[in-house]
Amino acid sequence: MCRHHHERLDGKWYPDRLAADDHPIGARIIAVADTFDAITSVRSYRQSRHATKAALDVIEQRGWRPQLDPDAVKAFSH
């Protein structure tokens, strides 16, 4: 699961360019959690978004993009 959590649903990322059904559901879930962590953590180039609601808004806006599974986003947000 950890190996594939950077894969995108369209198969245009690394390490194995998995797409759609080949992308393990566990990796899709980890991708959403990893995105949430990235948004809410301090980075060298920006402050964190401490508010859970603000972080969830960003994730939900990205849900349509090929990098996050919309069903995993929905489950994480509820």
Side-chain angles (χ1 to χ4, degrees):
M1 299 309 145
C2 292
R3 176 180 170 86
H4 299 294
H5 83 281
H6 283 270
E7 302 274 3
R8 291 175 19 160
L9 297 179
D10 62 3
K12 294 183 178 178
W13 207 240
Y14 69 93
D16 298 319
R17 297 179 182 252
L18 300 178
D21 293 334
D22 293 330
H23 190 192
I25 187 66
R28 296 178 195 198
I29 293 166
I30 291 170
V32 176
D34 184 52
T35 301
F36 181 83
D37 179 65
I39 293 168
T40 58
S41 297
V42 174
R43 299 289 191 219
S44 61
Y45 52 88
R46 65 157 174 79
Q47 292 295 315
S48 70
R49 297 182 187 188
H50 296 286
T52 299
K53 174 71 172 120
L56 291 174
D57 287 346
V58 170
I59 289 172
E60 288 171 355
Q61 291 168 5
R62 288 188 182 176
W64 62 268
R65 294 183 183 174
Q67 65 195 88
L68 296 177
D69 181 297
D71 292 332
V73 169
K74 184 177 179 182
F76 188 84
S77 297
H78 291 89

